[in-house]
Amino acid sequence: MTEKKSYVFEENNVPFQICHATNCLALDNNDLLVAWFAGSREGNDDIAIWLSRFSEGKWDKSAIVADDKEEPNWNPVLHQLKGGRLLLFYKVGRDIHAWRTMIRISDDRGKTWTEPRELVPGDKGGRGPVRTKVLTLSDDSLLAGSSSEQGVWTTFTDRSIDEGKSWVRSDSIALTGISYHGEKTVSHTDIEVSEQSFYGRGVIQPTLWESEDGNVHMLMRSSEGRIYRADSTDYGKTWSSAYATSLPNNNSGIDVVRLSNGSLVLCYNPVAENWGERTPLRLAISKDNGNTWKDIYTLEEGAGEFSYPSITRKAQTIYLSYTWNRKNVAVWRFEEKELEE
């Protein structure tokens, strides 16, 4: 990828009507994989998981890698274990409340995949990663950020100590401080007994980083016009309450990555309005573990939808992908030093 920006598809050669929810991963052989869901319309039964590979200077032909029949497929997440095995997580179901998380495995860097199995047998609502990358923590456990959209939106994490074979769910993160139509502050208990008033409000789709051994943090999409945050000191087993940051949020997806020197880079829409515009799309940097932020690069601006970014790092190279007007997949590459200048 010689240019900073590329598109997976040529403008007149896109094999679906819509695409969304990209996820990118740089492999141990330096190939770049990007996955997303696509089909005729979001939520239709023909929505499947697609995958494309950037290798030897070009995008390979994209292909469907998961199409669990008769129901839509959603939100792919790729993760490579230290031994090289590749995991593909994704959701299946017509109703977000009843999503099932499926997993497929590849031992040839994504060329072939096993048949799917449920990540947590019998679960309804979604376990494992809901949209953003899985972290391999300093103790070699895997930590996935997840969320539930049943009534009030709540966030939690899933942790695995056996390379993704089994998972332990944290408690839902408390939502103290969420406002009600901007008029009063309510507790998590107040929200739970007022589903009608608070339906569709809260925090979802966390993105994670580890600052020191065992100290893990998350930023969350919210309905409150701000990105929210929570912190853990025990490898994600327990969490603080969610609290508002100064970062604006339009109730759309975000993603963060930690650089090799400890700085953080966030990709987001800087729009402080619930269900606000999904433009512009920018990068921000923090040099104090997420306490303060500075916008450093505009990826997209003007009319359109540029959303649901996925950002990852391999060595000193940063890759990111996102929805480009629901019609294409945009991918960028930066060197760390470009973002630190």
Side-chain angles (χ1 to χ4, degrees):
M1 196 180 303
T2 57
E3 300 295 329
K4 278 188 173 63
K5 183 181 182 182
S6 67
Y7 297 93
V8 172
F9 296 96
E10 297 178 357
E11 184 176 357
N12 298 316
N13 192 29
V14 181
F16 39 73
Q17 281 68 56
I18 69 98
C19 60
H20 195 34
T22 73
N23 184 265
C24 62
L25 177 68
L27 299 183
D28 56 357
N29 68 345
N30 294 320
D31 285 359
L32 179 69
L33 297 185
V34 182
W36 63 92
F37 70 71
S40 61
R41 184 178 180 182
E42 183 173 341
N44 283 2
D45 289 349
D46 69 348
I47 291 288
I49 305 301
W50 288 67
L51 183 74
S52 192
R53 180 189 308 269
F54 189 85
S55 180
E56 299 181 350
K58 63 181 179 64
W59 288 105
D60 292 348
K61 184 177 180 180
S62 302
I64 293 173
V65 293
D67 185 13
D68 292 8
K69 302 297 184 182
E70 299 181 355
E71 289 182 287
N73 294 219
W74 312 75
N75 293 11
V77 175
L78 295 159
H79 182 76
Q80 190 169 36
L81 300 174
K82 287 187 175 180
R85 172 167 285 185
L86 193 60
L87 310 179
L88 171 63
F89 307 88
Y90 59 100
K91 310 299 185 189
V92 174
R94 295 187 184 91
D95 188 346
I96 294 174
H97 303 158
W99 269 354
R100 306 181 308 282
T101 303
M102 310 302 291
I103 184 171
R104 293 177 186 244
I105 296 170
S106 174
D107 286 315
D108 55 11
R109 298 187 176 92
K111 295 181 175 67
T112 61
W113 296 89
T114 62
E115 289 298 308
R117 65 170 175 82
E118 287 189 71
L119 186 69
V120 178
D123 170 68
K124 296 292 176 66
R127 295 284 300 277
V130 67
R131 196 191 70 82
T132 61
K133 57 188 168 291
V134 175
L135 290 188
T136 301
L137 299 182
S138 54
D139 67 350
D140 289 331
S141 64
L142 303 183
L143 193 68
S146 198
S147 53
S148 170
E149 298 181 38
Q150 301 185 37
V152 65
W153 293 352
T154 57
T155 292
F156 60 94
T157 53
D158 252 322
R159 187 168 183 265
S160 175
I161 59 172
D162 56 9
E163 296 192 320
K165 298 179 180 67
S166 63
W167 296 82
V168 176
R169 184 194 192 281
S170 74
D171 290 338
S172 293
I173 292 171
L175 293 177
T176 53
I178 295 289
S179 64
Y180 175 67
H181 298 308
E183 297 170 356
K184 67 177 182 177
T185 298
V186 296
S187 70
H188 186 44
T189 302
D190 293 330
I191 293 175
E192 287 182 328
V193 299
S194 184
E195 277 196 10
Q196 185 172 358
S197 296
F198 290 92
Y199 182 82
R201 299 182 70 90
V203 291
I204 54 173
Q205 297 176 358
T207 175
L208 311 171
W209 75 95
E210 186 180 29
S211 58
E212 298 177 357
D213 289 1
N215 292 333
V216 191
H217 317 273
M218 67 167 66
L219 296 179
M220 293 161 278
R221 164 184 173 176
S222 90
S223 59
E224 306 305 299
R226 288 286 182 269
I227 290 175
Y228 271 62
R229 175 172 170 164
D231 307 288
S232 171
T233 58
D234 57 8
Y235 295 95
K237 297 172 187 175
T238 62
W239 289 89
S240 72
S241 298
Y243 57 96
T245 72
S246 62
L247 290 162
N249 184 238
N250 56 342
N251 201 348
S252 187
I254 59 176
D255 204 7
V256 70
V257 69
R258 188 171 185 263
L259 304 187
S260 58
N261 67 358
S263 294
L264 304 174
V265 173
L266 170 71
C267 192
Y268 75 127
N269 300 116
V271 178
E273 178 186 355
N274 190 30
W275 300 117
E277 295 287 334
R278 292 181 170 184
T279 182
L281 186 67
R282 289 187 185 148
L283 297 179
I285 194 167
S286 173
K287 298 184 179 183
D288 57 7
N289 199 38
N291 293 317
T292 60
W293 295 86
K294 177 184 177 182
D295 283 354
I296 56 171
Y297 200 93
T298 298
L299 300 163
E300 302 280 0
E301 57 187 347
E305 178 183 348
F306 314 108
S307 64
Y308 271 47
S310 171
I311 184 167
T312 190
R313 175 176 69 88
K314 181 173 174 57
Q316 278 75 51
T317 303
I318 306 301
Y319 301 93
L320 67 95
S321 61
Y322 55 88
T323 297
W324 190 89
N325 283 320
R326 302 268 176 151
K327 297 298 184 184
N328 211 328
V329 175
V331 182
W332 290 69
R333 171 179 174 164
F334 294 92
E335 297 305 315
E336 281 192 349
K337 62 182 179 180
E338 297 178 271
L339 303 177
E340 288 282 1
E341 293 174 351

